[in-house]
Amino acid sequence: MAEQGSDADADARAGQAGRAGRVLVLNSGSSSVKYQLIDMADGSRRAAGLVERIGERTSRLVHTVHTVHGGADGESARPGRRETEQRFPGHGAALKAVAAELAADGMGLDSPRLVAIGHRVVHGGTRFTDPTLIDDEVLAEIERLVPLAPLHNPANLTGIRTALDLNPGLPQVAVFDTAFHATMPEHAWRYAVDTATADRYGLRRYGFHGTSHAFVSRRTAGLLGREPGETNVIVLHLGNGASASAVAGGRCVETSMGLTPLEGLVMGTRSGDLDPAVVFHLARVAGMDTEEIDTLLNTRSGLAGLCGDNDMREIRRRITAGGPDGERARLAFDIYIHRLRKYIGAYTAVLGRVDAIAFTAGVGENDPEVRRAAVAGLEQTLGVAVDTERNAESATRARLISPEYARVAVAVVPTDEELEIAAQTYQLVTRQSSSGR
Ligand code: ADP
């Protein structure tokens, strides 16, 4: 089933596509599919969309077409947005509908300009440390990793299998969330747990959000006008899920998420770090079973567990409004910031020399107060400061927000995981076809 196109197919595709080849990026989450069709000549989006609430009574598909130069290649797409509500019982049905939307615009999975599909895959274990061309053996290995990512890897697999069914000849590449962190040294990834048990069950820190940390650390070096290989960066990916990484000369040396995305920073709904004995205590004293504790720590903790809201915008609104409700929100905010500052301090020690701290993802890109509070008072000790005006500027471009004189640059860098997945996919596929594989 997972047969690959022939070498001749791959050559023909890369040839036809030339520099203007396109990559479809698929991100199949637990109840959603997000996609972007990216033109590799300039990274522009041709189409994008999402299907959400897969498996629920009504699912929603939103498909957006960006400006497409029609004509020569038979594309009929006009810029616009289509939204439909219908029931998709599973990822397979949802993806077929996405393929039909793309085909309706002349950009279907059989389009000659499409050179590959890049799939986001959450867990690559220790086996997958690079983007990987998908075949039956790779599929089986991703399946074997399901116990490490029980919510995500099965959805990723369904996405891949459906795409393979729809066009078995098209190269498909898996890009793993864990891969960028594979360069961590053993003293960073190994838990201080009986080695035989840890090795037998794959207990170690893997880290996640890797494509974002890779993209943002490289982009930050660019902002400083330096080579990534000469730049040390602390990346703070603060979205609903949140993670920090220490990147030394372009290689990840430490990250805050662990065996699963539960470890590390305070997140929207996840606790981040806590004493593992909390789990035994809840089992013994509260009689909770594993599933209940898992749900508590992953979905009813973090900012949501502390104050009832996981959206930082709402928390900020409540703090401004004041009163007892605002105080609860303020405490949640303070706990979030305290954890973040501990990681900034720790990663400064890990790196020894820090050239930049980069804020990214929903909160990191949009919330100046989080950025200010995260580094407040660190100027004397760590040489980190933000310029009030630069920090307050509302902009979507990558930019520096530290004062000129600061020893450590502070940057806001919008992440672009889809572009990173597309670039890694394209690089692998064109390299393989030009080397005749
Ligand atoms: P994920 O990809 O992990 O779902 P995102 O990176 O999209 O998350 O971030 C989503 C979060 O970003 C929201 O839950 C919200 O807390 C935060 N966010 C978005 N916009 C703003 C804003 N203007 N100010 C503060 N926080 C924001």
Side-chain angles (χ1 to χ4, degrees):
M1 176 192 68
E3 109 205 30
Q4 287 300 320
S6 67
D7 287 358
D9 279 350
D11 287 342
R13 280 182 186 286
Q16 269 167 336
R19 290 292 300 153
R22 290 175 184 167
V23 173
L24 177 66
V25 176
L26 283 181
N27 181 353
S28 308
S30 50
S31 65
S32 68
V33 172
K34 294 186 195 141
Y35 60 96
Q36 289 193 4
L37 182 65
I38 301 181
D39 203 320
M40 298 317 294
D42 57 3
S44 61
R45 272 52 173 184
R46 288 304 178 223
L50 85 160
V51 187
E52 51 189 10
R53 303 196 297 266
I54 295 172
E56 291 180 28
R57 200 132 42 90
T58 48
S59 323
R60 192 166 73 111
L61 192 161
V62 182
H63 176 74
T64 307
V65 176
H66 300 283
T67 311
V68 171
H69 306 293
D73 48 11
E75 281 172 354
S76 51
R78 294 233 180 91
R81 185 175 185 275
R82 293 195 290 272
E83 189 174 327
T84 47
E85 293 221 344
Q86 53 186 298
R87 185 174 136 69
F88 296 119
H91 286 72
L95 252 175
K96 283 184 185 142
V98 168
E101 289 288 347
L102 289 165
D105 294 319
M107 298 187 285
L109 266 50
D110 55 354
S111 156
R113 294 185 65 180
L114 184 65
V115 284
I117 299 181
H119 295 269
R120 175 189 181 214
V121 179
V122 166
H123 217 304
T126 49
R127 158 77 198 272
F128 298 113
T129 56
D130 287 301
T132 306
L133 199 62
I134 294 166
D135 60 17
D136 283 336
E137 196 263 322
V138 170
L139 276 174
E141 192 64 19
I142 296 173
E143 180 100 59
R144 208 183 55 76
L145 294 167
V146 163
L148 286 172
L151 282 182
H152 294 99
N153 272 28
N156 302 154
L157 274 168
T158 313
I160 296 170
R161 291 197 169 111
T162 309
L164 283 165
D165 281 347
L166 291 169
N167 187 347
L170 189 64
Q172 314 228 3
V173 173
V175 178
F176 298 89
D177 252 29
T178 45
F180 182 63
H181 306 300
T183 50
M184 280 193 285
E186 186 166 355
H187 58 253
W189 61 250
R190 187 171 278 287
Y191 286 122
V193 169
D194 169 63
T195 301
T197 308
D199 289 350
R200 176 151 182 218
Y201 295 107
L203 295 184
R204 54 162 285 170
R205 308 184 55 251
Y206 294 95
F208 299 86
H209 291 144
T211 47
S212 177
H213 287 282
F215 179 87
V216 171
S217 56
R218 216 174 46 237
R219 195 84 181 71
T220 304
L223 265 185
L224 300 182
R226 299 166 70 136
E227 288 299 318
E230 296 166 353
T231 314
N232 289 356
V233 187
I234 296 174
V235 178
L236 303 170
H237 176 111
L238 309 177
N240 200 19
S243 62
S245 70
V247 182
R251 293 162 67 82
C252 178
V253 293
E254 176 63 287
T255 195
S256 60
M257 285 177 166
L259 175 79
T260 76
L262 186 55
E263 192 178 344
L265 300 173
V266 175
M267 308 181 212
T269 65
R270 296 188 197 119
S271 63
D273 295 333
L274 41 73
D275 180 345
V278 164
V279 177
F280 324 139
H281 187 76
L282 286 173
R284 289 184 196 124
V285 177
M288 291 171 76
D289 66 23
T290 316
E291 287 307 313
E292 287 172 312
I293 300 172
D294 190 325
T295 304
L296 171 75
L297 298 180
N298 274 298
T299 69
R300 292 196 289 120
S301 297
L303 293 169
L306 288 165
C307 73
D309 270 309
N310 65 328
D311 192 316
M312 193 56 88
R313 285 164 290 199
E314 189 53 23
I315 290 171
R316 308 222 45 72
R317 194 199 57 74
R318 283 170 56 183
I319 293 173
T320 308
D325 192 50
E327 273 169 39
R328 248 180 94 209
R330 161 60 66 187
L331 178 62
F333 181 81
D334 289 347
I335 294 170
Y336 180 94
I337 295 294
H338 177 68
R339 184 83 51 85
L340 200 50
R341 290 168 63 87
K342 287 209 292 187
Y343 272 88
I344 291 171
Y347 287 9
T348 300
V350 167
L351 287 171
R353 186 199 86 224
V354 180
D355 298 308
I357 297 177
F359 286 88
T360 192
V363 177
E365 290 166 30
N366 296 301
D367 195 325
E369 179 55 16
V370 165
R371 298 191 295 252
R372 187 203 62 77
V375 302
L378 298 183
E379 191 169 345
Q380 287 276 310
T381 42
L382 304 184
V384 186
V386 296
D387 177 90
T388 308
E389 243 172 66
R390 288 179 174 183
N391 186 34
E393 189 195 350
S394 151
T396 53
R397 66 179 199 291
R399 61 200 186 275
L400 294 177
I401 58 166
S402 41
E404 296 300 335
Y405 61 80
R407 211 164 3 113
V408 176
V410 180
V412 177
V413 178
T415 192
D416 196 339
E417 288 161 283
E418 289 78 15
L419 184 61
E420 180 70 19
I421 291 171
Q424 293 190 16
T425 298
Y426 189 71
Q427 205 183 22
L428 178 69
V429 170
T430 47
R431 200 172 58 217
Q432 297 235 338
S433 67
S434 66
S435 69
R437 286 203 316 210

